[in-house]
């Protein structure tokens, strides 16, 4: 494990539905946690919730800095949320507001980046010294890239948007404004879309899935598909096989570009385990078959689950 002496810091993970905070030590251990709902459409209230979380934790522990992982595009200076698709932030100078309120150094970073950093430092890639790529497969697809032991942030701070690489030319429309993005084929949203469409075409094959929702196609969600797949429902299993195959293609593309030492898969959909990972690995190795005997990165599951955002943000604050 990459560890070392250092002060306690606070990590805050800000998403569209919750603000999670924690006090983290230099070995990535979470010593205390708190969680609040996100008032996502109210900029000032969201800011206030973050400040309250930090103050609560700082009152109980001698912390020295705060890291904030935010679901959005962050400027190169790690101070401003340029745009957040699931929050009302537009050019929100989050660093300035929080630092002034809590009188502590603050670092703001993209949520996919902080999760990747946590897995690199303390999780699935903790024995890797050089490079890794992490895909976070949830409702959409995010991720983060570490090269030579450093987060790859790009010239404008927005590198690592792995869900928005092109998978299908002129394919499904994506919320980012492009068409055919990987997110449209390998995400939780794609899983649900595939399952609903297949259940509508062949209700008999989806008997177990439909029984879970009383026959209501619109009630099919990602967790429902996971439950049905674990019970052997054909349509649910095929939905995972579909998104897994597409994810494997995306993994292979990253290997061709970055040649990382390991590929880490995290996010809510990845909690389905081998239902997703098995077809992803198969597709990944098929896509790279022409590389012959050249080594390729293993595909592994993330280890830190829902604490990755807090742990990664806190560690980045400590290092800053």
């Amino acid at each position: 494990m990459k560890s070392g002496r250092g002060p306690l810091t606070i990590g805050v993970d800000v998403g569209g539905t919750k603000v999670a905070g924690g006090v983290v030590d230099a070995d990535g251990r979470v010593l205390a946690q708190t969680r609040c709902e996100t008032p996502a459409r109210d900029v000032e209230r969201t800011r206030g919730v973050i400040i309250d979380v930090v103050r609560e934790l700082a009152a109980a522990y001698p912390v020295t800095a705060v890291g904030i992982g935010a679901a959005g595009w962050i400027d190169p200076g790690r101070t401003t949320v340029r745009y957040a698709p699931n929050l009302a932030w537009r050019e929100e100078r989050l660093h300035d507001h929080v630092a002034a309120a809590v009188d502590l150094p603050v670092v703001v970073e993209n949520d996919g980046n902080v999760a990747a950093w946590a897995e690199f430092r303390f999780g699935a890639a903790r024995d890797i010294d050089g490079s890794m790529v992490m895909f976070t497969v949830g409702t959409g697809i995010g991720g983060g890239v570490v090269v030579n032991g450093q987060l790859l942030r790009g010239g404008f701070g927005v590198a690592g948007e792995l869900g928005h690489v092109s998978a299908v030319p002129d394919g499904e429309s994506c919320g980012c404004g492009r068409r055919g993005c990987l997110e449209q084929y390998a995400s939780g949203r794609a899983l649900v879309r595939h399952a609903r469409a297949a259940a509508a075409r062949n209700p008999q094959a989806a008997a177990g899935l439909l029984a879970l929702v009383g026959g209501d196609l619109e009630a099919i969600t990602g967790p429902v598909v996971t439950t049905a797949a674990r019970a052997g429902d054909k349509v649910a299993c095929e939905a995972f096989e579909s998104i897994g195959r597409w994810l494997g293609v995306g993994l292979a593309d990253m290997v061709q570009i970055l040649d990382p030492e390991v590929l880490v898969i995290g996010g809510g959909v990845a909690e389905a385990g081998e239902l997703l990972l098995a077809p992803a690995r198969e597709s990944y190795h098929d896509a790279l078959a022409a590389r012959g005997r050249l080594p390729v990165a293993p595909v592994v599951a993330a280890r830190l689950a829902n604490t990755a955002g807090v742990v990664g943000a806190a560690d980045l604050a400590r290092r800053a």
Side-chain angles (χ1 to χ4, degrees), residues 101-195:
V102 303
D103 195 27
L104 287 166
V106 174
V107 171
V108 182
E109 184 55 272
N110 170 265
D111 62 337
N113 282 352
V114 300
W117 185 252
E119 292 292 341
F120 175 70
R121 290 276 290 141
F122 308 109
R126 67 180 185 269
D127 296 324
I128 299 299
D129 292 323
S131 61
M132 63 156 280
V133 175
M134 180 176 180
F135 282 73
T136 54
V137 186
T139 303
I141 292 180
V145 179
V146 176
V147 176
N148 295 329
Q150 300 293 324
L151 272 174
L152 180 65
R153 304 193 71 251
F156 301 98
V158 294
E161 291 293 334
L162 307 182
H164 299 289
V165 298
S166 180
V168 179
D170 298 320
E172 297 279 349
S173 295
C174 184
C176 74
R178 304 179 69 202
R179 300 184 70 90
C181 291
L182 181 65
E183 180 170 292
Q184 297 305 309
Y185 299 90
S187 65
R189 190 179 291 114
L191 177 77
V192 170
R193 187 177 68 241
H194 185 288

Side-chain angles (χ1 to χ4, degrees), residues 2-319:
K2 308 173 187 78
S3 63
R5 296 181 181 274
L8 301 180
T9 51
I10 291 173
V12 183
D13 183 11
V14 185
T17 60
K18 53 84 180 165
V19 175
V23 176
V24 183
D25 71 11
D27 291 321
R29 291 185 290 258
V30 180
L31 307 182
Q33 296 184 74
T34 188
R35 178 179 175 134
C36 301
E37 292 185 3
T38 305
R41 294 298 140 201
D42 189 317
V43 173
E44 291 190 5
R45 286 183 61 209
T46 299
R47 188 189 304 153
V49 168
I50 295 169
I51 291 168
D52 288 345
V53 164
V54 173
R55 284 174 171 164
E56 176 185 338
L57 295 169
Y61 288 84
V63 298
T64 60
V66 179
I68 301 173
W73 296 326
I74 314 300
D75 75 318
R78 291 175 166 174
T79 64
T80 303
V81 183
R82 306 298 304 271
Y83 174 80
N86 298 312
L87 296 160
W89 286 335
R90 305 294 184 269
E91 300 297 333
E92 167 71 3
R93 294 191 62 82
L94 190 59
H95 166 277
D96 295 357
H97 293 298
V98 176
V102 303
D103 195 27
L104 287 166
V106 174
V107 171
V108 182
E109 184 55 272
N110 170 265
D111 62 337
N113 282 352
V114 300
W117 185 252
E119 292 292 341
F120 175 70
R121 290 276 290 141
F122 308 109
R126 67 180 185 269
D127 296 324
I128 299 299
D129 292 323
S131 61
M132 63 156 280
V133 175
M134 180 176 180
F135 282 73
T136 54
V137 186
T139 303
I141 292 180
V145 179
V146 176
V147 176
N148 295 329
Q150 300 293 324
L151 272 174
L152 180 65
R153 304 193 71 251
F156 301 98
V158 294
E161 291 293 334
L162 307 182
H164 299 289
V165 298
S166 180
V168 179
D170 298 320
E172 297 279 349
S173 295
C174 184
C176 74
R178 304 179 69 202
R179 300 184 70 90
C181 291
L182 181 65
E183 180 170 292
Q184 297 305 309
Y185 299 90
S187 65
R189 190 179 291 114
L191 177 77
V192 170
R193 187 177 68 241
H194 185 288
R196 287 177 177 175
R201 288 193 305 268
N202 190 352
Q204 287 184 328
L209 176 62
L210 291 171
L212 293 174
V213 294
D216 182 3
L217 290 173
E218 294 303 310
I220 294 175
T221 63
V224 169
V225 178
T226 301
T227 298
R230 285 174 173 158
D233 181 87
K234 181 179 179 182
V235 163
C237 290
E238 288 176 349
F240 271 105
E241 289 168 5
S242 175
I243 70 166
R245 286 194 301 271
W246 282 112
L247 180 60
V249 172
L251 296 172
D253 286 344
M254 290 301 103
V255 165
Q256 299 286 31
I257 297 167
L258 296 169
D259 190 28
E261 295 168 71
V262 66
L263 293 155
V264 179
I265 311 301
V269 178
E271 293 177 7
E274 291 301 308
L275 286 171
L276 175 67
L277 293 177
R281 289 192 185 104
E282 182 178 0
S283 172
Y284 166 69
H285 287 294
D286 287 347
L288 294 175
R291 286 171 64 103
R293 296 184 179 181
L294 291 176
V296 296
V299 177
V300 302
R303 294 183 182 176
L304 299 181
N306 56 10
T307 65
V310 166
V311 171
D315 195 63
L316 288 170
R318 181 180 299 104
R319 294 169 66 87

